[in-house]
Amino acid sequence: MSPIPTGRLFSTDDGTDLVLTRTFRAPAADVWASVTEPERTARWFGPWEGDAEPGRTVKVQLLFEEQQPWYDLRIDACEPPRRLAVSSLDEHGAWHLELLLSESDGVTELRFVQHLDTLDGVGDIGPGWEYYLDLLVASRDGSPAPGFDAYYPSMRAYYAGLTPSGD
């Protein structure tokens, strides 16, 4: 079975937000640990090292990228267990990301937001985040890790065809 794309675009005062969500039957503090503790992020995103304080920069190594590059990731905000905002700059431009967690009755929703300056490349960006978020799900529930081929290029047309809505 092929994964189904979940991302949506929302207009903002500063551009457009690409938003994807995942839901976990777990407390927010446990999901927070999965997205912030190095030994847990290493299972689905990649290891990181450094002083992860707001205003500081850590080094991150993406597990599932060509040649597994290390890159700098700035911690813009860290409000456990509800909000993590990070940013980086690479050859593709600036990346501004937020992870927002909300919990109700032992169920936590993770809202992943990428703040976009332009919609250029969203057809390539969206499938990648779907893949990484599903790797997070697999790392938490013990299911087999998905293969990237199930996400790209099959989800490219969906993301390239998205238009922002107001929210």
Side-chain angles (χ1 to χ4, degrees):
M1 185 167 134
S2 296
I4 298 170
T6 63
R8 296 176 58 203
L9 292 175
F10 297 94
S11 296
T12 69
D13 291 342
D14 299 321
T16 305
D17 284 351
L18 171 61
V19 178
L20 298 94
T21 60
R22 296 295 186 274
T23 303
F24 303 92
R25 293 193 183 286
D30 186 52
V31 178
W32 179 262
S34 292
V35 300
T36 59
E37 293 179 3
E39 63 278 357
R40 292 181 73 176
T41 62
R43 296 178 200 158
W44 65 276
F45 187 73
W48 63 268
E49 55 188 40
D51 184 9
E53 298 290 327
R56 306 292 301 260
T57 299
V58 297
K59 293 272 190 201
V60 177
Q61 183 183 38
L62 296 174
L63 286 180
F64 300 98
E65 301 294 325
E66 287 183 33
Q67 302 170 358
Q68 300 177 338
W70 284 86
Y71 69 97
D72 291 335
L73 188 66
R74 178 182 164 82
I75 310 299
D76 297 320
C78 183
E79 302 161 11
R82 303 285 178 224
R83 178 176 176 252
L84 176 65
V86 297
S87 58
S88 68
L89 183 63
D90 66 15
E91 66 273 7
H92 302 290
W95 297 77
H96 300 280
L97 312 170
E98 278 189 278
L99 298 170
L100 306 165
L101 285 76
S102 60
E103 180 185 345
S104 178
D105 298 324
V107 175
T108 299
E109 179 183 82
L110 169 67
R111 185 174 165 108
F112 174 92
V113 181
Q114 180 170 355
H115 304 289
L116 302 168
D117 295 326
T118 174
L119 295 181
D120 292 345
V122 76
D124 298 323
I125 295 167
W129 291 129
E130 294 277 6
Y131 172 66
Y132 274 105
L133 290 173
D134 284 351
L135 284 171
L136 170 60
V137 170
S139 78
R140 290 187 51 82
D141 68 15
S143 60
F148 186 67
D149 291 344
Y151 296 81
Y152 189 86
S154 63
M155 288 187 185
R156 187 178 196 291
Y158 170 85
Y159 277 96
L162 284 179
T163 56
S165 63
D167 186 31

